[in-house]
Amino acid sequence: MRHATALRTALSALMVVGAWTAVGPATASAAPTDSATSAAELPASAALLSAMQRDLGLTEGQARTRLAQEEAATALEPKAQRAAGSAYGGSWFDSATGKLTVAVTDAGKAGAVRAAGAQTKVVEHSAAQLDATMKRIDALSAPDGVASWRVDPATSRVVVNVVASAQGDNDVRAFVAKARKAGPVTVERTAEAPQTFAAGTVGGDPYYTGNVRCSIGFSVHGGFVTAGHCGGTGQQVRGWDNSYIGNFQGSSFPGNDYAWVNVGSGWWTVPVVLGWGTVPDQLVRGSNEAPIGASICRSGSTTRWHCGRVLAKNETVNYSQGAVHQMTKTSVCAQGGDSGGSFISGDQAQGVTSGGWGNCSSGGETWYQPINEILNRYGLRLHTA
């Protein structure tokens, strides 16, 4: 394998679906002569700014301001949570004010949280109480008509999402009745049931397991992370050119939706996501978790770049194959083949695409498995610039 081909192969397979990337079947273009170095020389966040303008309706100046505000909110969140102590009820980014809002159950704690730099809202239930409600609901057996359930810190309740066409179903009604007994619960309707975003094999896209095509998430030292439903432990992984990359070293689905694949046979990892001439390349610098309300972008091998907002965290998604816990929901669209691809906020890795509903023509929502949970589960270290 020639040097240029090997470099293109490695970068295509490992970075083809990062949240700064726009990759499709036509990825067989000339490879860059340098990987991380050339990416560092490109305009910072140019692709993100463009996608935010397109998908969030912002001007370039507003997008830059939003990114700075979200970076500050992300850094503030742990400090504000410590200030709230046991009164902490959750937090979210308020795009109207550009600040982090922290829910507290004790008004006496609000001053300390505001002193830390966040806005406050007094709520009825603590995050610990809502998490306990989630665990009780997670122990129930959910019918197909129940799409998901999540903690909503803004309303201080657990929201159960029911597919609109199934809300009258007896099994759905019975599940909702049991959920209400578990704690503070609100029921909302959703248009469609969630599904994973794997797809049949399509030539030219990033990686394959058997007859399934998925998208690679972020590089870790020794391999990359992706979605668990894309392949089981031990399964072989092939790249865009059908050459052998490695094998699934660990995979979990349902319950979780994460996996990691080792890299060898002339392939290697770099802390960069390639744009392949469509958007500038972007370095990945960390994995600080963005708050609810923050803007976020996703890229996959099918639909390329799309952006939106973080809608919820700690949501249980009820796929037909079984429930997956502790997911993050976004307003970003996705389609078949995008599974496993990167969600990123600024230059911080957030997670790998799991599934959702809708598509990128009519809109929809997606869930991702948070990256730090994957790293901790397998003892992996994110490859960063």
Side-chain angles (χ1 to χ4, degrees):
M1 184 181 293
R2 295 179 181 177
H3 174 73
T5 302
L7 177 60
R8 176 179 177 274
T9 301
L11 296 181
S12 172
L14 299 176
M15 299 300 158
V16 70
V17 293
W20 311 130
T21 316
V23 181
T27 56
S29 55
T33 57
D34 191 275
S35 54
T37 301
S38 62
E41 296 170 355
L42 293 170
S45 301
L48 176 60
L49 292 170
S50 176
M52 289 175 70
Q53 291 174 72
R54 179 194 67 198
D55 294 340
L56 298 177
L58 303 174
T59 65
E60 181 178 347
Q62 289 171 333
R64 290 185 181 277
T65 298
R66 175 76 67 84
L67 286 172
Q69 292 171 337
E70 291 172 353
E71 183 178 5
T74 298
L76 173 61
E77 191 170 30
K79 181 180 178 181
Q81 182 174 351
R82 288 193 297 269
S86 61
Y88 178 72
S91 60
W92 61 95
F93 175 77
D94 185 346
S95 61
T97 63
K99 294 184 177 181
L100 182 73
T101 300
V102 175
V104 293
T105 57
D106 181 358
K109 291 285 189 179
V113 174
R114 287 194 293 268
Q119 301 175 146
T120 59
K121 178 181 180 180
V122 178
V123 296
E124 185 177 357
H125 306 287
S126 69
Q129 291 171 322
L130 296 175
D131 288 345
T133 299
M134 278 290 296
K135 289 182 179 180
R136 287 190 284 270
I137 299 176
D138 283 344
L140 302 176
S141 178
D144 291 343
V146 177
S148 64
W149 49 99
R150 72 179 190 276
V151 169
D152 181 14
T155 61
S156 195
R157 302 183 75 80
V158 171
V159 178
V160 175
N161 291 291
V162 173
V163 178
S165 60
Q167 59 183 333
D169 181 83
N170 288 337
D171 290 339
V172 171
R173 291 162 66 101
F175 178 88
V176 169
K178 293 177 182 177
R180 291 187 187 280
K181 294 179 180 179
V185 164
T186 296
V187 177
E188 294 182 358
R189 291 184 295 178
T190 187
E192 300 178 30
Q195 59 181 335
T196 56
F197 284 130
T201 298
V202 176
D205 282 299
Y207 88 88
Y208 308 93
T209 57
N211 64 345
V212 172
R213 171 172 58 85
C214 279
S215 299
I216 297 168
F218 295 97
S219 284
V220 296
H221 289 273
F224 63 82
V225 294
T226 187
H229 70 264
C230 291
T233 302
Q235 193 164 1
Q236 187 179 108
V237 173
R238 308 187 314 278
W240 64 270
D241 63 350
N242 205 39
S243 68
Y244 170 72
I245 300 176
N247 295 76
F248 280 83
Q249 299 299 301
S251 180
S252 180
F253 179 80
N256 306 293
D257 194 5
Y258 51 58
W260 83 281
V261 176
N262 70 316
V263 168
S265 302
W267 298 64
W268 67 93
T269 67
V270 288
V272 64
V273 176
L274 296 178
W276 293 98
T278 304
V279 296
D281 297 351
Q282 176 67 34
L283 295 174
V284 177
R285 300 189 183 275
S287 58
N288 293 329
E289 185 178 347
I292 293 172
S295 61
I296 194 167
C297 288
R298 178 204 57 75
S299 185
S301 59
T302 299
T303 59
R304 304 185 176 191
W305 268 84
H306 287 278
C307 294
R309 296 185 305 110
V310 177
L311 298 178
K313 297 182 181 182
N314 191 19
E315 183 154 3
T316 297
V317 183
N318 190 36
Y319 295 125
S320 61
Q321 300 95 328
V324 178
H325 309 297
Q326 295 180 326
M327 302 277 272
T328 298
K329 180 163 72 174
T330 80
S331 63
V332 188
C333 67
Q335 293 177 201
D338 288 329
S339 282
S342 307
F343 269 92
I344 194 164
S345 180
D347 56 10
Q348 301 295 305
Q350 299 297 307
V352 299
T353 304
S354 174
W357 62 269
N359 56 56
C360 289
S361 296
S362 60
E365 294 176 334
T366 50
W367 288 270
Y368 65 80
Q369 182 85 63
I371 182 70
N372 289 327
E373 181 180 355
I374 308 173
L375 300 176
N376 292 335
R377 169 63 180 82
Y378 294 118
L380 301 171
R381 185 159 58 94
L382 186 67
H383 198 168
T384 59

